[in-house]
Amino acid sequence: MKIAFIGEGAMSPDIMAAQAKCIGNFEHTEILLPYSIEELASVEKVGVDAMPIPDAFHDLQDVDIAVCHFSAFGHKVFDLMPNLKILATLRAGTENIDDTAATQRGIACVHCPGRNAQAVSDQAVSLLLSEVYNVARGHADMIRGIWNNVYPTSSYTPILSGKTAGIFGFGNIGRLTAQKLRGLGMNIIVYDPYLSDADAGEQNVKKVNKETLFRESDFVMVHARLDDSTHHCIGASEFAMMKPHAWFVNNARAGLVDTDALIDVLKNHLIAGAGLDVFDIEPLPKDSPLLTLDNVTLTPHNGGGSSEEIRVYAAKMAAQGILSILDNAPNFQVMNPQVIQSDEFQQWIERANRELGR
Ligand SMILES: NC(=O)c1ccc[n+]([C@@H]2O[C@H](COP(=O)([O-])OP(=O)(O)OC[C@H]3O[C@@H](n4cnc5c(N)ncnc54)[C@H](O)[C@@H]3O)[C@@H](O)[C@H]2O)c1
């Protein structure tokens, strides 16, 4: 049984290999991709088929299981790995995996939904607090020797307790952000077209329509996923509904928001301020108008965190997803559990468990 661990700057393959030891005894190969995170993340815009194929992939003909992070997998890569049966990505999003192609080829796919949800929700709350309390502006001034405690938004710094936070997208991250903001004493309202009444009741949140969310929130927290249906789903008309002293936080994806419309309301102080971790072009170009505004807190797409603890957690989660397949009990991480039902896959599971010593 051979496993390939494919990492890059944001996730080293040795962490993946160390956490996969619970799978059993296997031969393995570690590949460190020669691309930057920005290059790899472009898969979200250009799709898997446009991504370059690393030379090292030509040596993976006998690999049974591949574990990756950002690496792109589509038909061309699958052609190079005819024995592949399980492909696991340590990401929650699956833009780097063509799961339709994988399913056609009988490859089971594993992902790690929620793997960095704690970190991203913590960061969303930190963006909110930093912007409201001028943390970044105060720090920048102090290191320039300036003692300033009056900023453009200071006159309407809110008491957070009792205010309303509107969660736009109530998935893994949105739910955690809601819990954390509730801990600060806020009322939570949620817009998510796929949230059932029963689920909203269980989570103790008020489900509202999109318009109500933008009109009633003192803080709009964006936590939806970007796809064709959500591209620019927040624009001039949504910003026009916001209260003049409401705040906007987006650490989900820039493409959800019409950035020109956001810049316009910020520049004209039609909303209080914004905290942003994600941008249409990353790294953010030096001439971006966002850099000229006095009511934004910007962070360089670091919502997911990059600590050892977060990486180990993700690698452990991927191993659990793989184990669930080997145990013939695919868990919530398995994207195409139907693949596992075939006779061929069942025979492979038997052989894999034998070879792994399970
Ligand atoms: N900043 C970072 O470093 C970072 C790290 C990880 C994830 N993210 C981003 O955070 C976001 C949330 O991730 P997640 O893991 O919670 O995703 P998720 O899939 O668990 O949740 C997304 C939610 O959005 C909802 N949704 C779908 N269409 C919608 C619409 N039109 N309007 C409102 N809601 C809608 C879905 O029903 C779902 O509940 C994603 O955009 C993800 O890419 C950012």
Side-chain angles (χ1 to χ4, degrees):
M1 191 61 33
K2 193 159 181 186
I3 307 187
F5 298 100
I6 303 153
E8 70 287 304
M11 182 68 72
S12 65
D14 56 319
I15 292 184
M16 299 173 176
Q19 297 309 314
K21 281 189 182 147
C22 59
I23 294 173
N25 306 315
F26 52 80
E27 276 179 62
H28 82 279
T29 179
E30 295 182 14
I31 295 174
L32 191 62
L33 296 176
Y35 311 121
S36 70
I37 289 302
E38 285 74 26
E39 284 169 314
L40 289 164
S42 69
V43 70
E44 295 185 12
K45 290 195 174 124
V46 302
V48 287
D49 294 327
M51 297 302 285
I53 297 179
D55 290 343
F57 279 18
H58 292 275
D59 299 327
L60 297 181
Q61 301 90 333
D62 55 349
V63 143
D64 301 277
I65 299 174
V67 181
C68 70
H69 185 222
F70 265 103
S71 183
F73 278 79
H75 278 298
K76 286 189 246 167
V77 172
F78 291 136
D79 282 344
L80 299 174
M81 303 177 196
N83 289 347
L84 192 65
K85 281 281 178 274
I86 301 179
L87 169 61
T89 172
L90 273 61
R91 298 183 66 198
T94 54
E95 293 87 349
N96 55 320
I97 307 278
D98 182 345
D99 58 319
T100 309
T103 305
Q104 281 165 9
R105 289 163 184 256
I107 299 166
C109 297
V110 167
H111 69 137
C112 297
R115 64 127 203 190
N116 56 5
Q118 289 289 359
V120 184
S121 56
D122 286 346
Q123 204 249 3
V125 176
S126 80
L127 276 173
L128 183 162
L129 292 172
S130 299
E131 176 53 27
V132 167
Y133 281 99
N134 296 296
V135 173
R137 282 183 283 277
H139 175 79
D141 277 350
M142 282 188 76
I143 57 175
R144 287 188 292 135
I146 300 167
W147 185 268
N148 180 13
N149 47 27
V150 181
Y151 291 96
T153 56
S154 298
S155 63
Y156 41 87
T157 297
I159 293 169
L160 301 180
S161 183
K163 294 293 184 301
T164 297
I167 311 290
F168 187 91
F170 201 57
N172 287 299
I173 296 168
R175 282 163 200 246
L176 288 171
T177 300
Q179 283 174 19
K180 290 165 191 180
L181 294 181
R182 189 179 282 126
L184 293 172
M186 294 198 198
N187 307 313
I188 307 296
I189 59 175
V190 171
Y191 170 68
D192 186 323
Y194 302 101
L195 177 67
S196 68
D197 291 339
D199 198 0
E202 264 171 41
Q203 299 293 323
N204 193 22
V205 292
K206 186 175 165 197
K207 193 176 137 186
V208 297
N209 62 26
K210 190 175 173 186
E211 182 171 340
T212 305
L213 183 117
F214 280 91
R215 286 199 189 287
E216 293 190 0
S217 297
D218 298 295
F219 303 91
V220 173
M221 312 295 290
V222 182
H223 296 296
R225 240 170 221 292
L226 176 62
D227 59 25
D228 290 344
S229 72
T230 56
H231 182 257
H232 281 200
C233 61
I234 301 172
S237 51
E238 285 73 25
F239 291 125
M241 292 174 202
M242 286 177 71
K243 299 177 186 176
H245 290 169
W247 311 74
F248 183 79
V249 172
N250 182 14
N251 75 349
R253 284 292 179 268
L256 294 160
V257 179
D258 176 345
T259 305
D260 291 340
L262 175 61
I263 290 170
D264 189 55
V265 288
L266 287 168
K267 205 182 208 164
N268 293 302
H269 293 273
L270 300 174
I271 64 171
L276 304 173
D277 184 51
V278 286
F279 306 95
D280 292 321
I281 302 173
E282 296 179 357
L284 184 66
K286 290 195 172 79
D287 61 353
S288 167
L290 285 169
L291 296 167
T292 65
L293 300 175
D294 57 12
N295 52 354
V296 288
T297 298
L298 309 175
T299 51
H301 200 148
N302 60 9
S306 55
S307 68
E308 177 88 359
E309 185 181 359
I310 292 168
R311 292 177 204 217
V312 166
Y313 181 85
K316 212 177 258 175
M317 197 172 169
Q320 292 305 320
I322 295 169
L323 278 176
S324 78
I325 294 174
L326 294 168
D327 288 340
N328 235 321
N331 71 9
F332 69 100
Q333 296 173 247
V334 182
M335 294 156 61
N336 51 357
Q338 69 276 23
V339 162
I340 294 156
Q341 307 312 322
S342 76
D343 290 345
E344 193 198 338
F345 206 100
Q346 287 295 317
Q347 283 160 15
W348 178 82
I349 289 180
E350 263 182 47
R351 180 171 70 80
N353 281 326
R354 234 182 1 255
E355 290 182 19
L356 289 161
R358 302 183 75 238

